[in-house]
Each structure stands twice: as structure tokens, then as C-alpha cells.
């Protein structure tokens, strides 16, 4: 079974631009969640989608948004990028609400 | 509300010696607890999980953890460290009800000396 796939793996943007990251979950997993990982703040929950509906949202500004498609693939978007948005963005899927998370390898975003 | 505290930001051991990574938690619900490992520039990989079955949980690569409710701890151990164990380890608590949003510890960097 293929794992969680995130694209792109690395990207560089400048302040003010926007970025879209993609995540394909493990087949059959309907829950997809996103996390931001930085050295200063650690791993922080961004949001979770289940069956195309946002089920939970973390404490991030409205510049961070996401969506999920009918095939469970998910995208997250960050608009008006700031230097502090530089981070590793991790996507994870899980088979059940209480199940373990299966992570992708992440998208490393650098904002210049 | 829930929280996770990993008591050591760095742990340094010699190859072949035991490993102990400490984690304390608090949770309003009966939680599920996990340990994940992250190698450089990689995603997180599940080592083991506790979901209210046996209190001693065995995971991959020789790791195990013991759930102690009275101490609200879930420490990770391994009898003999290997060079390939050098990585970042995260303790995670997830409620068994409500929002199911996981809370991550800040991580413990395990350094293994030859």
C-alpha cells in the first residue's frame, strides 16, 4: 500500500506570495490533517478534514486554509506569505478517528 | 484540555547502552498515547501506541513503553541503543473522544555515540 504522498517536497517563495501544498493520503483513509513544524514552536496542528469537511482547526490565522476533495486528497494554501511561515509542513492520514497518524515526508517551505 | 511534556530535550547514550526517553501527559479524557520517531528531513514514523489495552506496549525496532496512570507517564525505553536510533522522538497524546486533536511533545533528540 502506498504511503502518504506530499508534493512538492521543497519550495522557495518570497514574502507576499501564496503557496499550495498537496497531500494524497493512504488509500481508504478519509481523515487528513496538516501540521506545521518549526524549531521554535515544534509541531502544531493546522486543521483536519474528513469526507471533504473541515472537522477541526488549530490556532492559525485565516491566511492558512485547506480543502479536501472527494478522493480524499487534500490541499493547503497559505496566502500573503510571511518569513515566519518558513517551516516543514506535514500531512497525515488515519484510518479511524482514534487511530494512529501516518505521516508524509513533508513539504519544506522557505520564505525569503 | 491535554498536554504533553517531554522531560529531556536531548539524551545522549553510547551504542549498546539502554535508552530512556521520558514523557508525562495530562488529559481530560482517557487518552491514546503514541511515540513517533523522525529522522532528518523525514516525516514521523509510529514506534508504538497505547490504547487502554496492556500497559506495557511493545513497538518496532526493540522499543517499548509503559503506561503508568498513577504517574501520568509514558516513558519510552530500549535495552540497547543502535547508531541508527539517533533521531528526534515525539510523545503524542490524543483524546479518545471529543475533537481527537493530537498534542505533540516538543521532542527529544537522541544522540548515540559509537
Amino acid at each position: 500500500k502506498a504511503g502518504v504522498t506530499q508534493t512538492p517536497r521543497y519550495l522557495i517563495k518570497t514574502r507576499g506570495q501564496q503557496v499550495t501544498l498537496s497531500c494524497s493520503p493512504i488509500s481508504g483513509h478519509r481523515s487528513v490533517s496538516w501540521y506545521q513544524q518549526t524549531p521554535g514552536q515544534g509541531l502544531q496542528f493546522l486543521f483536519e478534514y474528513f469526507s471533504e469537511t473541515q472537522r477541526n482547526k488549530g490556532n492559525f490565522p485565516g491566511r492558512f486554509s485547506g480543502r479536501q476533495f472527494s478522493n480524499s486528497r487534500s490541499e493547503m494554501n497559505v496566502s500573503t506569505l510571511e518569513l515566519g511561515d518558513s517551516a516543514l509542513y506535514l500531512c497525515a492520514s488515519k484510518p479511524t478517528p482514534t487511530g494512529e497518524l501516518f505521516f508524509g515526508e513533508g513539504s519544506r517551505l522557505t520564505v525569503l | 484540555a491535554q498536554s504533553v511534556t517531554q522531560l529531556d530535550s536531548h539524551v545522549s547514550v553510547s551504542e549498546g547502552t539502554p535508552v530512556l526517553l521520558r514523557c508525562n501527559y495530562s488529559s481530560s479524557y482517557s487518552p491514546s498515547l503514541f511515540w513517533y520517531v523522525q529522522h532528518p528531513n523525514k516525516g514521523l514514523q509510529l514506534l508504538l501506541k497505547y490504547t487502554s489495552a496492556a500497559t506495557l506496549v511493545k513497538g518496532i525496532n526493540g522499543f517499548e513503553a509503559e503506561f503508568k496512570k498513577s504517574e501520568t507517564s509514558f516513558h519510552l525505553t530500549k535495552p540497547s541503543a543502535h547508531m541508527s536510533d539517533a533521531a528526534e522522538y515525539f510523545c503524542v497524546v490524543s483524546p479518545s473522544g471529543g475533537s481527537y486533536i493530537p498534542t505533540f511533545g516538543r521532542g527529544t533528540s537522541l544522540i548515540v555515540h559509537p
Side-chain angles (χ1 to χ4, degrees):
Chain A
K1 209 181 229 185
V4 177
T5 304
Q6 291 188 246
T7 57
R9 288 292 314 281
Y10 301 91
L11 65 168
I12 300 173
K13 295 286 188 178
T14 57
R15 278 182 300 175
Q17 287 187 310
Q18 74 162 9
V19 66
T20 300
L21 309 177
S22 179
C23 172
S24 293
I26 292 173
S27 177
H29 290 192
R30 292 159 64 191
S31 168
V32 174
S33 51
W34 290 88
Y35 304 84
Q36 182 194 65
Q37 186 178 25
T38 60
Q41 299 298 319
L43 270 155
Q44 295 185 283
F45 171 80
L46 279 158
F47 27 66
E48 179 188 12
Y49 287 87
F50 182 84
S51 294
E52 301 179 67
T53 301
Q54 186 179 86
R55 189 158 64 177
N56 294 297
K57 190 177 192 304
N59 189 27
F60 278 81
R63 300 185 297 107
F64 292 81
S65 63
R67 59 178 175 168
Q68 187 180 33
F69 302 95
S70 59
N71 61 358
S72 293
R73 191 178 70 85
S74 177
E75 289 181 347
M76 69 163 281
N77 184 77
V78 187
S79 62
T80 320
L81 284 166
E82 301 176 359
L83 295 178
D85 297 333
S86 294
L88 181 66
Y89 290 89
L90 291 163
C91 168
S93 69
K94 58 182 178 179
T96 65
T98 57
E100 65 266 31
L101 294 164
F102 292 82
F103 284 86
E105 294 202 323
S107 294
R108 183 165 293 283
L109 171 64
T110 301
V111 182
L112 303 176
Chain B
Q2 60 187 21
S3 66
V4 180
T5 303
Q6 292 184 240
L7 297 167
D8 307 291
S9 59
H10 296 84
V11 169
S12 182
V13 302
S14 297
E15 191 174 22
T17 64
V19 174
L20 170 64
L21 305 182
R22 299 182 294 165
C23 172
N24 287 350
Y25 72 92
S26 69
S27 178
S28 302
Y29 297 91
S30 297
S32 295
L33 294 160
F34 308 84
W35 275 99
Y36 287 85
V37 61
Q38 185 179 33
H39 289 92
N41 295 314
K42 297 289 187 182
L44 279 69
Q45 180 187 14
L46 179 70
L47 280 176
L48 49 81
K49 63 178 178 179
Y50 166 78
T51 54
S52 76
T55 57
L56 183 63
V57 183
K58 293 189 183 299
I60 62 171
N61 300 335
F63 286 95
E64 62 181 39
E66 186 172 8
F67 173 71
K68 292 187 176 180
K69 188 174 181 179
S70 60
E71 299 175 12
T72 60
S73 69
F74 190 56
H75 301 336
L76 181 70
T77 60
K78 182 173 180 177
S80 177
H82 192 274
M83 293 297 291
S84 61
D85 295 328
E88 192 83 11
Y89 291 79
F90 294 92
C91 181
V92 182
V93 61
S94 181
S96 56
S99 68
Y100 302 111
I101 297 175
T103 300
F104 292 79
R106 293 303 300 266
T108 298
S109 178
L110 177 63
I111 302 159
V112 182
H113 299 285

